[in-house]
């Protein structure tokens, strides 16, 4: 059975392909500047505002140099920074406790950091093993020690995309398959959560290929309970 997007001559689901970061251009520049300057940054925002997407841009730019250590903290609570750095040097690093220099450490979706790990981060940062640390969290502050707080040079607050940016994002993925009105309604029904929005756009796009007009009631039925 063919997938809906194959009718549009796509080999892959366009809503699952990483594309442009609408609304993030200035934030990407700020992060890039902080990394180049060797600073720590706190990125905070509600679920679905694009924090992980922002970090992926850092990986895209710097990951090819094997200088980026990304940790999904939802899967690894309170990560041991020392072990993380040793693993970046493979078996040799683990056997001889060798750590790479000038690493960019991305701690995504972190909600807790022990005092011991704060001190580890501070130490490896001061010794130039770590060049920059980016903390991503839903909170506007974490339980950082004073030493780490003093080294955080910038706090970035993530905000939802504007309606216009949401429309442009969908235009890039599926052209004019979904009308501006439809896209804006999907965005509202998705509670302006970027991840949920793309998921719901995919559902509606599959229906829109077979039906030219979708009423508001039908749209609500397709999207369902957006949580």
């Amino acid at each position: 059975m063919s997938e809906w997007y194959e009718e549009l001559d796509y080999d892959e689901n366009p809503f699952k392909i990483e594309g442009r970061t609408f609304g993030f251009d200035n934030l990407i520049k700020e992060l890039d500047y902080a990394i180049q300057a060797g600073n720590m940054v706190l990125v905070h925002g509600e679920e679905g505002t694009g924090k992980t997407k922002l970090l992926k841009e850092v990986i895209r730019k710097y990951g090819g140099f094997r200088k980026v250590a990304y940790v999904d903290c939802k899967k690894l609570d309170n990560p041991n920074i020392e072990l993380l750095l040793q693993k970046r040097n493979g078996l040799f690093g683990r056997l001889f406790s060798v750590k790479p220099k000038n690493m960019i450490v991305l701690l995504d979706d972190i909600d807790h950091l022990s005092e011991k790990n704060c001190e580890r981060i501070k130490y490896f940062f001061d010794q130039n093993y770590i060049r920059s640390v980016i903390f991503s969290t839903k909170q506007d502050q974490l339980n950082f020690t004073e030493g780490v707080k003093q080294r955080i040079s910038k706090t970035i607050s993530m905000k939802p995309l504007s309606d216009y940016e949401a429309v442009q994002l969908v235009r890039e993925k599926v052209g004019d398959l979904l009308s501006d009105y439809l896209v804006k309604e999907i965005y509202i029904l998705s509670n302006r959560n970027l991840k949920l929005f793309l998921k719901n756009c995919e559902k509606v796009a599959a229906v829109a290929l077979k039906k030219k007009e979708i009423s508001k009631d039908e749209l609500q039925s397709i999207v369902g309970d957006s949580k």
Side-chain angles (χ1 to χ4, degrees):
M1 183 178 176
S2 63
E3 298 288 350
W4 66 269
Y5 50 82
E6 291 178 0
E7 294 183 41
L8 296 172
D9 291 328
Y10 286 107
D11 293 327
E12 300 177 67
N13 185 338
F15 289 108
K16 292 183 179 175
I17 297 173
E18 293 291 340
R20 283 182 58 199
T21 50
F22 288 93
F24 290 177
D25 290 348
N26 288 336
L27 298 182
I28 292 169
K29 287 178 183 176
E30 288 182 42
L31 272 188
D32 189 36
Y33 178 80
I35 291 169
Q36 294 292 340
N39 294 326
M40 294 189 190
V41 180
L42 176 66
V43 177
H44 72 87
E46 295 297 322
E47 186 75 29
T49 49
K51 298 185 299 297
T52 299
K53 175 84 172 169
L54 195 60
L55 297 192
K56 283 182 178 179
E57 283 299 306
V58 176
I59 296 171
R60 184 185 63 77
K61 181 163 186 178
Y62 294 96
F65 302 102
R66 292 187 58 81
K67 287 293 184 182
V68 178
Y70 172 86
V71 181
D72 182 349
C73 296
K74 286 186 292 188
K75 298 178 180 177
L76 186 61
D77 184 44
N78 204 22
N80 185 317
I81 299 302
E82 184 172 9
L83 292 180
L84 178 67
L85 292 176
Q86 288 175 5
K87 286 179 181 178
R88 294 304 293 175
N89 267 356
L91 180 61
F92 182 78
R94 289 195 293 274
L95 287 176
F96 299 100
S97 298
V98 176
K99 301 171 220 32
K101 289 277 190 177
N102 293 313
M103 289 295 298
I104 300 166
V105 177
L106 311 177
L107 300 178
D108 194 11
D109 245 322
I110 190 164
D111 60 13
H112 173 73
L113 198 62
S114 69
E115 183 175 345
K116 188 171 184 179
N117 258 332
C118 278
E119 289 307 306
R120 283 180 179 136
I121 289 174
K122 173 179 169 292
Y123 171 79
F124 291 122
F125 181 76
D126 290 347
Q127 297 298 315
N128 295 321
Y129 291 110
I130 296 175
R131 176 178 186 174
S132 177
V133 185
I134 301 174
F135 304 95
S136 156
T137 178
K138 292 190 282 290
Q139 306 172 47
D140 57 5
Q141 57 184 346
L142 288 173
N143 55 319
F144 294 125
T145 59
E146 281 303 314
V148 171
K149 283 181 183 177
Q150 290 168 7
R151 285 159 178 77
I152 294 177
S153 66
K154 189 167 191 62
T155 297
I156 293 176
S157 299
M158 299 293 293
K159 294 179 175 58
L161 297 182
S162 67
D163 289 357
Y164 172 78
E165 289 165 342
V167 169
Q168 294 307 303
L169 176 60
V170 174
R171 286 283 163 274
E172 183 186 70
K173 292 183 178 298
V174 291
D176 59 359
L177 176 62
L178 305 178
S179 69
D180 289 8
Y181 168 77
L182 208 53
V183 172
K184 290 175 183 178
E185 286 298 314
I186 296 168
Y187 194 37
I188 291 169
L189 289 171
S190 304
N191 300 319
R192 301 186 185 278
N193 179 309
L194 183 58
K195 189 184 297 184
L196 187 57
F197 170 60
L198 292 175
K199 186 177 178 182
N200 285 333
C201 280
E202 179 184 344
K203 292 180 184 177
V204 179
V207 175
L209 276 172
K210 299 177 179 142
K211 191 169 185 179
K212 288 187 177 179
E213 292 189 16
I214 298 174
S215 70
K216 197 167 183 177
D217 287 342
E218 288 173 317
L219 183 62
Q220 177 74 67
S221 176
I222 295 167
V223 170
D225 188 13
S226 294
K227 292 183 179 178

